[in-house]
Amino acid sequence: MNEYKQTDFQIDSLRILDVNELHFTRLDSGYLDLEYKGNRYEQVSLTRLQPFYYLDTYISVSFKNDEDEWIEIGVIRDINDMSKEQHDLCAEYLQFRYYVPLITKVHSIRDNRMGYLFIDAETTAGRKRIAVNDWWTNFRVNNSGMLTVTDSDGNKYYIPHPEEMDRKSYRKLELFM
Amino acid sequence: MNLKTPLPKGIPECIFSLPFDIAENGEKTAGFLTADREQIHIYDSDGRELNNFSLDSFSAFEATRQIGCSMLRGKRKNDDKWQFFCSFTQTHYIRYAELAKILDYYANTGVFVDHSDEEEPVCPKCGLSLDGSSTCPYCAKKGSTVKRLMKRLAPFKKPFIISILLTAFSYACDLVAPTLQRYLIDDVVQVQDPDMELFLIIAGTILCLALIGTAIDFITRRININITNGFIRDLRRDLFDKTQELSMRSISRRTAGEIIRRVSEDSRTIQQFVTDNGKEMILHTISLVALVIIMFVSNWKLALLVILPLPIAAWLASKVMRILDDRNSRWWRKTVASSRYLHDMLSGIRVVKSYGSEERETARYTEISKEVSKAQKNIDCIWYILSPLLRYVIAIGEFLMLYFGASAVMDIEITLGEFVQFTTYVSMLYGPLEWLTNLPRVLSQAMVAAGKAFEILDERIELKDAEIPADKPIEGNITFEHVSFGYTAYNPVLKDISLEIKQGEMIGIVGHSGVGKSTMINLIMRLYDPTSGSIKIDGTDLRDMTSKGLHDQMGVVLQETFLFNGTVLENIAYSKPNATFEEIIQAAKTADCHDFITRLPDGYNTYVGEKGYNLSGGERQRVAIARAILRDPKILILDEATASLDTQTEKQIQTALNRLIKGRTTIAIAHRLSTLSNADRLIVLDKGKLVEMGSHTELMKKHGVYYQLVMAQRTTAAIKKQTVTA
């Protein structure tokens, strides 16, 4: 059972969590429970507020109340400020929740002229043939120059700095960026 | 759907077995999940059992999406908490979602289904996700774009053939000229006693041929203009038709700017190409073959020298074309981005101006324009480097011919007349060849545009009208039978909704944001089809009716009123173009907008401006109501029709709406629950499920979800009142 006071949550102000007071526990169910300032929250969820930029910072912590609504407990400014054990728990959870392999090398790219782009690439999850549907939407460079790719199944990939890749890969990518 | 993946040795066979590829710590792994009537087992790749769970200890199962991955989990009966089983990449999601459905069905009913009747979600050849389509985008072969463009010329076959024959005749005349020149040189100019009569005959024939050529050119140009205009008119019409036929799901994937670009700009590029090159492509090929044959007949040795570099040139041209293809495609995307941005900014110009962001937006547009220019420059650079090379390769043949031809004249192997005749043929050959060297650039540009046009034309229509439609005048009885729907597969927004709405009933749909209220309305309007179950009107499934047959008998008033750029009259008459002026006035009266229209200087002929901005929000909404009334619909949809209006205006609109709903089946969504006070019944949705149904009084007595919603709104209203008083 969650044990908390309703007054702990304010929807109109940012609540930065005190990392020294956070105590996460990994359960057999695979989820995390949290104890924070005398309150206990079950099966909490950690969310990256800017998943492409801030991997360890600005992590929102929330739980489901009795009405089955997600309530934000607060935001961790930087999980690196936590104790090693707590940091590892959080980092592992985030790594599990966000599975976004990095594209490290591009072998070939083909536009089938029917809205699909087929990318043969090496990723941190191994060699992949990535089929991108509606590719002008799902293969895009954001304002900071990061390339994000979502394939037709919903798998996500990214390249933080395409221009820093090997010359051959970048030349292949550049044509479609 | 195959839910039984072959297992490695050591793992016992089971009814269901699926692989998973993400470990609990988020690392890549390889493992298997198996399930039978009793248990779920989790194994690693070596066949070691990592965990097992009894099916009976769970009350629900689901495959839930994370970010870039998903997991299978079950809700434990003992503490109502979720238990994680395994995590996998999205590639496996559909199979796990199907397995979760089967396990969930077992948890709810006790019946264990040992197979899946769902269709295979991936291409059997390459394994690519089919996403509901019957053809694989990777394996499917499509005809070449050029062939498909030529096929679209079929309706203009007759004039096209006439044009080609006429031009071929004109070319044939041109081909005769060099032979006449040869006779002129060898038999008239170079003889000591020239035959003046022969001279006049030959010169007159050359002149006549030139005149015939000019006349034919004039006629063929006229024919070609008609062909290209008709061709492009048809292409634009088909593109526009297709955008109208596509479902909301398909159309909302693209921005208005992009679609405008495809319908107008791409067709223009194709038009330009067809006008300049369509006929020439065939004729130059014919003349090229004819000239080569003539040259071989005249002097096969010299002819061989001329055509020697042509295979190399053809290979080079195909390479250039491939290089340009991707670059043209990139240029196309950059121009689409530019159109999209421009459309976006002009649509939101009020926001731009009110935030004083003109300079920032100008700077952004400049950046986008730079990108377009850079992409264009890249094409130009490549072209200007490669095209001289292409020309040079072709010209090598001419150099060789001139060298050996001139030597042959000097060695008196051939006459000067024969040599002049041959060089004239070569110069005629260089016409088509010159055209061919320029072709990669224009062809690549046109093929990218045509490819983009075909992309739209080839798109699968998700909401097809029944082949034998059961359209009939509807009364307004609506039935939902176990309707479930999700915008993406296995991600339901509405779950198992069953209800009956009687003719003339006023129904209010209420619930928190995102529970599926608008989705329910979208399904009634058949903007989407249910994933499972059916929606019937007077006992007829919506899928058995045509969209037109259904929409003709439906009226809609939305929160975001959209008025077209036209007069008030045109906007009201939009729902019934053949309405009489009196019917329009009557509709305006019922909608309470006649009075304000009469006060406008141009009355019913007043232009409402872009999106109706010349009118106030309340006025626009009343015009929209008049539009809905005019059609005299049997079913009326009100989606937050008064949400964006102030209380005073809302009251006025409400009066108009009350007149409108009289005698019609009405389905209304409103956040302000007081707006639905006159509803016969209220449907309460919660997390996609229908949780309560009844009148306001009945639901208040229940103290359920509706009661909580009302109480929450009353508290908010009280707080607002206090704030205003303070």
Side-chain angles (χ1 to χ4, degrees):
Chain A
M1 276 290 283
N2 292 309
E3 291 162 15
Y4 59 91
K5 286 183 223 138
Q6 194 65 48
T7 48
D8 281 346
F9 315 108
Q10 294 171 320
I11 54 164
D12 58 350
S13 62
L14 169 65
R15 186 188 188 203
I16 296 290
L17 299 174
D18 180 353
V19 287
N20 299 316
E21 296 277 347
L22 287 164
H23 186 77
F24 290 99
T25 321
R26 175 81 181 252
L27 305 173
D28 290 341
S29 65
Y31 287 87
L32 295 178
D33 276 7
L34 169 68
E35 276 184 41
Y36 183 70
K37 292 191 173 172
N39 296 331
R40 202 167 147 265
Y41 308 97
E42 291 181 333
Q43 300 204 334
V44 294
S45 171
L46 305 185
T47 308
R48 285 177 179 146
L49 293 180
Q50 286 207 57
F52 290 121
Y53 303 104
Y54 301 149
L55 302 185
D56 289 346
T57 52
Y58 293 99
I59 307 296
S60 164
V61 186
S62 50
F63 74 105
K64 264 193 176 174
N65 68 7
D66 298 339
E67 281 81 48
D68 222 18
E69 295 163 328
W70 283 105
I71 307 284
E72 185 181 79
I73 302 163
V75 173
I76 305 173
R77 197 170 263 145
D78 190 345
I79 61 166
N80 295 308
D81 295 337
M82 301 167 90
S83 67
K84 186 175 180 317
E85 181 225 345
Q86 288 292 299
H87 165 269
D88 291 351
L89 268 180
C90 289
E92 206 169 83
Y93 178 93
L94 288 168
Q95 198 179 338
F96 161 75
R97 184 149 188 241
Y98 292 83
Y99 190 75
V100 188
L102 177 78
I103 295 175
T104 51
K105 187 181 174 69
V106 178
H107 295 294
S108 69
I109 305 187
R110 181 166 76 87
D111 177 1
N112 80 337
R113 306 268 190 261
M114 288 167 82
Y116 269 86
L117 199 66
F118 298 101
I119 310 166
D120 180 6
E122 296 292 341
T123 74
T124 45
R127 188 164 180 164
K128 301 270 176 193
R129 192 190 72 184
I130 305 164
V132 189
N133 190 13
D134 289 334
W135 70 267
W136 45 93
T137 311
N138 293 317
F139 179 94
R140 54 168 49 174
V141 180
N142 59 25
N143 288 339
S144 66
M146 179 187 286
L147 175 70
T148 58
V149 182
T150 306
D151 76 6
S152 52
D153 288 321
N155 296 305
K156 288 173 182 286
Y157 304 88
Y158 78 111
I159 307 175
H161 305 289
E163 68 285 355
E164 289 176 10
M165 293 185 91
D166 64 280
R167 203 173 142 79
K168 274 188 182 172
S169 297
Y170 180 64
R171 281 178 67 179
K172 281 170 194 146
L173 276 176
E174 202 236 344
L175 268 181
F176 298 91
M177 277 162 42
Chain B
M1 191 186 293
N2 180 16
L3 299 180
K4 195 167 165 56
T5 306
L7 293 165
K9 273 181 192 170
I11 300 179
E13 284 298 315
C14 221
I15 297 174
F16 297 116
S17 53
L18 291 174
F20 62 85
D21 47 8
I22 301 175
E24 277 187 60
N25 59 3
E27 297 283 340
K28 191 175 161 55
T29 187
F32 291 89
L33 175 142
T34 67
D36 56 22
R37 289 165 206 275
E38 284 155 12
Q39 284 198 315
I40 289 175
H41 305 267
I42 312 290
Y43 297 96
D44 67 11
S45 54
D46 298 328
R48 272 193 303 268
E49 186 171 356
L50 302 174
N51 223 332
N52 66 69
F53 305 93
S54 163
L55 278 194
D56 289 330
S57 54
F58 295 95
S59 60
F61 293 89
E62 66 176 27
T64 177
R65 284 181 195 263
Q66 303 289 299
I67 293 98
C69 59
S70 293
M71 66 163 134
L72 182 72
R73 63 182 191 171
K75 198 171 228 179
R76 293 191 301 234
K77 278 180 181 166
N78 60 347
D79 59 1
D80 223 22
K81 294 287 168 199
W82 287 105
Q83 170 67 50
F84 162 85
F85 298 132
C86 68
S87 180
F88 39 86
T89 52
Q90 297 298 91
T91 313
H92 303 296
Y93 177 76
I94 291 180
R95 291 187 201 278
Y96 271 99
E98 184 62 16
L99 176 64
K101 213 165 85 179
I102 289 170
L103 297 178
D104 200 54
Y105 186 70
Y106 171 73
N108 285 319
T109 63
V111 179
F112 192 88
V113 182
D114 59 4
H115 65 282
S116 163
D117 291 327
E118 288 295 318
E119 284 177 13
E120 269 302 305
V122 297
C123 168
K125 206 169 152 192
C126 72
L128 184 70
S129 170
L130 293 176
D131 197 21
S133 168
S134 54
T135 50
C136 170
Y138 190 78
C139 303
K141 283 195 176 69
K142 57 169 187 168
S144 84
T145 313
V146 179
K147 267 191 204 162
R148 298 184 69 189
L149 274 180
M150 294 304 278
K151 269 188 192 166
R152 292 191 66 88
L153 279 171
F156 312 97
K157 206 160 54 184
K158 231 182 191 173
F160 193 67
I161 290 171
I162 292 172
S163 166
I164 287 183
L165 289 176
L166 283 174
T167 323
F169 180 70
S170 164
Y171 267 97
C173 293
D174 289 347
L175 292 176
V176 177
T179 312
L180 294 174
Q181 281 170 5
R182 186 184 120 191
Y183 286 129
L184 204 65
I185 294 168
D186 287 349
D187 300 341
V188 180
V189 179
Q190 285 200 318
V191 291
Q192 283 188 337
D193 187 16
D195 182 349
M196 279 313 283
E197 198 181 338
L198 185 64
F199 171 75
L200 286 173
I201 290 170
I202 294 175
T205 313
I206 292 174
L207 187 70
C208 281
L209 288 174
L211 282 173
I212 292 169
T214 312
I216 288 175
D217 193 40
F218 175 75
I219 298 166
T220 52
R221 272 175 201 272
R222 288 287 303 265
I223 296 173
N224 291 348
I225 287 169
N226 288 338
I227 294 173
T228 46
N229 281 342
F231 173 83
I232 290 307
R233 179 200 59 217
D234 291 358
L235 183 66
R236 280 208 178 115
R237 180 203 57 208
D238 291 351
L239 277 170
F240 188 79
D241 269 6
K242 192 65 190 248
T243 58
Q244 300 295 301
E245 276 177 33
L246 289 174
S247 67
M248 284 300 291
R249 200 196 309 254
S250 302
I251 211 77
S252 52
R253 281 206 296 255
R254 301 188 172 92
T255 61
E258 185 186 324
I259 292 170
I260 291 169
R261 155 92 211 190
R262 289 190 186 219
V263 175
S264 57
E265 291 292 314
D266 288 346
S267 335
R268 195 180 303 155
T269 311
I270 300 165
Q271 180 175 23
Q272 190 78 37
F273 177 76
V274 175
T275 311
D276 296 344
N277 303 284
K279 190 188 70 178
E280 273 69 11
M281 199 185 275
I282 297 170
L283 280 169
H284 283 313
T285 315
I286 294 170
S287 62
L288 203 70
V289 174
L291 280 164
V292 168
I293 292 170
I294 291 170
M295 278 162 42
F296 266 94
V297 171
S298 303
N299 189 322
W300 69 271
K301 284 178 193 164
L302 291 181
L304 206 61
L305 290 172
V306 173
I307 65 156
L308 202 64
L310 291 190
I312 303 166
W315 173 82
L316 197 63
S318 75
K319 285 277 164 205
V320 173
M321 175 100 177
R322 198 173 297 167
I323 292 169
L324 288 179
D325 253 9
D326 287 337
R327 278 152 184 89
N328 268 317
S329 181
R330 177 172 55 177
W331 172 82
W332 182 90
R333 287 194 310 278
K334 299 290 179 193
T335 54
V336 165
S338 166
S339 315
R340 192 187 293 158
Y341 180 79
L342 205 59
H343 187 271
D344 216 23
M345 273 313 106
L346 293 175
S347 305
I349 194 72
R350 280 185 169 197
V351 180
V352 174
K353 288 205 168 290
S354 55
Y355 280 91
S357 337
E358 293 94 332
E359 275 182 30
R360 194 173 63 201
E361 297 304 343
T362 307
R364 237 178 108 188
Y365 187 68
T366 311
E367 274 306 307
I368 293 171
S369 298
K370 267 188 200 164
E371 290 279 310
V372 176
S373 150
K374 200 174 139 194
Q376 180 66 56
K377 203 171 145 191
N378 185 254
I379 296 169
D380 290 344
C381 281
I382 288 175
W383 179 243
Y384 289 124
I385 290 169
L386 294 178
S387 65
L389 183 68
L390 200 57
R391 277 196 209 100
Y392 180 74
V393 171
I394 291 171
I396 289 173
E398 195 178 4
F399 298 144
L400 292 174
M401 186 277 293
L402 282 173
Y403 177 77
F404 289 105
S407 305
V409 172
M410 283 189 278
D411 296 343
I412 325 176
E413 283 175 18
I414 56 170
T415 65
L416 179 63
E418 279 173 343
F419 183 59
V420 171
Q421 179 196 15
F422 199 86
T423 49
T424 313
Y425 282 135
V426 172
S427 64
M428 285 173 80
L429 181 77
Y430 278 90
L433 283 181
E434 181 73 19
W435 173 84
L436 276 174
T437 54
N438 279 317
L439 191 63
R441 183 177 195 178
V442 284
L443 184 64
S444 161
Q445 204 171 25
M447 289 310 107
V448 167
K452 299 297 172 191
F454 284 129
E455 235 171 60
I456 296 252
L457 292 174
D458 290 346
E459 196 147 326
R460 192 168 48 99
I461 298 169
E462 288 169 39
L463 302 172
K464 279 188 183 153
D465 283 338
E467 281 180 19
I468 308 164
D471 287 347
K472 57 181 180 187
I474 57 177
E475 290 169 6
N477 297 296
I478 305 171
T479 318
F480 274 65
E481 289 176 1
H482 301 288
V483 171
S484 293
F485 173 77
Y487 291 96
T488 52
Y490 293 98
N491 205 2
V493 178
L494 290 178
K495 298 167 197 165
D496 198 25
I497 305 276
S498 291
L499 69 105
E500 273 186 41
I501 300 169
K502 290 191 194 85
Q503 176 193 354
E505 241 188 325
M506 158 80 176
I507 298 287
I509 307 177
V510 296
H512 292 288
S513 291
V515 290
K517 302 189 292 289
S518 292
T519 304
M520 209 166 158
I521 274 180
N522 287 343
L523 291 179
I524 296 173
M525 293 196 283
R526 212 194 162 204
L527 297 182
Y528 303 91
D529 275 338
T531 314
S532 62
S534 66
I535 300 170
K536 291 177 178 166
I537 290 186
D538 302 331
T540 308
D541 195 309
L542 288 187
R543 284 170 285 214
D544 295 332
M545 301 172 81
T546 60
S547 294
K548 188 172 181 337
L550 175 69
H551 294 149
D552 274 354
Q553 305 182 71
M554 220 172 236
V556 186
V557 184
L558 306 170
Q559 179 181 1
E560 290 296 322
T561 308
F562 190 89
L563 297 188
F564 294 99
N565 193 2
T567 63
V568 173
L569 184 99
E570 286 162 355
N571 269 290
I572 298 177
Y574 185 79
S575 62
K576 192 180 173 189
N578 58 352
T580 64
F581 185 46
E582 284 182 21
E583 282 178 308
I584 292 170
I585 297 174
Q586 186 53 51
K589 282 241 171 208
T590 317
D592 212 7
C593 59
H594 176 74
D595 288 348
F596 90 76
I597 295 170
T598 51
R599 282 196 299 276
L600 295 169
D602 296 336
Y604 278 85
N605 297 128
T606 303
Y607 274 90
V608 298
E610 175 80 7
K611 294 181 185 171
Y613 281 150
N614 291 350
L615 305 179
S616 72
E619 287 168 346
R620 281 202 297 273
Q621 198 65 310
R622 274 177 276 179
V623 170
I625 294 170
R627 184 160 68 187
I629 293 172
L630 185 64
R631 179 170 272 189
D632 190 20
K634 294 291 176 290
I635 295 170
L636 187 64
I637 308 278
L638 306 174
D639 190 354
E640 297 280 8
T642 58
S644 57
L645 306 171
D646 60 79
T647 324
Q648 186 60 33
T649 318
E650 188 192 353
K651 271 184 189 165
Q652 290 172 351
I653 302 280
Q654 202 57 51
T655 317
L657 283 176
N658 289 343
R659 284 188 212 127
L660 174 60
I661 63 178
K662 214 172 275 174
R664 305 173 211 276
T665 308
T666 306
I667 297 143
I669 296 177
H671 265 108
R672 261 179 255 173
L673 299 173
S674 54
T675 320
L676 300 174
S677 55
N678 57 346
D680 297 314
R681 272 189 300 160
L682 294 162
I683 292 168
V684 186
L685 295 181
D686 192 31
K687 289 173 201 146
K689 287 186 179 167
L690 199 165
V691 287
E692 290 169 14
M693 189 159 54
S695 68
H696 168 77
T697 322
E698 285 167 359
L699 294 179
M700 286 304 279
K701 276 183 195 162
K702 261 191 177 177
H703 283 240
V705 178
Y706 180 72
Y707 174 83
Q708 285 168 4
L709 280 168
V710 173
M711 286 302 133
Q713 277 201 0
R714 282 183 189 168
T715 315
T716 317
I719 294 168
K720 269 188 189 167
K721 207 172 173 183
Q722 280 172 9
T723 318
V724 172
T725 318

